[in-house]
Amino acid sequence: EDDPPAQRLAYGQRVEIEARIRPPRNFNNPASFDYSGYLARQHIYWTAAMTRGSSARILPGRCGSRILAAIYTVRGSVLARIERLYPGDDYTTAMMEAILIGESFRLEKAWTETFRRTGTFHALVISGAHVAVLAGVLLFLLRSCAMGEMPALVITALAAWLYALISGFSPPVA
């Protein structure tokens, strides 16, 4: 049975859901990853699960940071643009999202296994190397256009920070 497409929600939207609340458990697996301890260190003491097929009710008003809202809006626009560029091509869409902005939720395990076996999986993960290449190319282009050194460096630094934020600012990027 096919599940309906996931409900699209934007950062800052207030929602109401019907969910089952539970404390996190370690599933009685001795010497395994301490999931409940990991969540507790992040001040998360409960998890919630919605029933299949249910959807969130959108409430009026907004919450959250305006800066993060702008970043997530740009990120969502980039994802939507990639989907429009490769309609019906799930593999290419997923790979482009992973390579360009670090979005890996669409990657299927079978697709990534070849990258893992050849030792090139790091190409699918946004890292400092991605940011460095972007900055180097941008700096070269700006300097080639006869822009002064300081303005070119400032624009390049701002673009690198923006790219890092849009790509999720994960530890390999930061």
Side-chain angles (χ1 to χ4, degrees):
E1 147 189 353
D2 287 338
D3 288 331
Q7 185 178 10
R8 296 229 181 221
L9 300 172
Y11 174 85
Q13 277 184 313
R14 294 182 61 234
V15 297
E16 179 178 86
I17 62 170
E18 185 175 323
R20 189 174 7 184
I21 307 293
R22 294 183 178 172
R25 293 184 280 213
N26 285 332
F27 302 105
N28 297 326
N29 192 356
S32 70
F33 176 67
D34 182 12
Y35 180 64
S36 60
Y38 166 76
L39 290 178
R41 287 189 296 277
Q42 297 180 48
H43 306 289
I44 299 171
Y45 303 100
W46 301 92
T47 60
M50 294 172 59
T51 59
R52 175 174 273 177
S54 65
S55 61
R57 188 169 69 88
I58 309 296
L59 301 175
R62 302 206 50 85
C63 61
S65 161
R66 289 181 189 264
I67 294 170
L68 286 176
I71 290 168
Y72 284 116
T73 299
V74 170
R75 185 177 172 85
S77 297
V78 170
L79 289 170
R81 177 70 175 144
I82 291 171
E83 287 178 23
R84 285 192 308 273
L85 285 173
Y86 305 102
D89 189 349
D90 293 338
Y91 177 80
T92 304
T93 300
M95 288 296 174
M96 292 302 287
E97 289 174 351
I99 291 169
L100 294 176
I101 61 170
E103 189 63 65
S104 60
F105 77 96
R106 290 180 188 239
L107 291 177
E108 293 182 16
K109 190 172 184 173
W111 298 345
T112 59
E113 280 307 309
T114 304
F115 285 91
R116 287 187 201 283
R117 279 195 306 271
T118 60
T120 56
F121 184 75
H122 64 278
L124 299 179
V125 178
I126 299 293
S127 65
H130 283 83
V131 178
V133 168
L134 170 76
V137 169
L138 182 60
L139 184 59
F140 174 77
L141 290 173
L142 292 175
R143 294 293 286 150
S144 296
C145 295
M147 183 176 278
E149 183 178 355
M150 280 312 288
L153 287 171
V154 168
I155 290 171
T156 300
L158 291 174
W161 278 104
L162 180 63
Y163 179 68
L165 287 170
I166 291 171
S167 66
F169 211 66
S170 59
V173 173

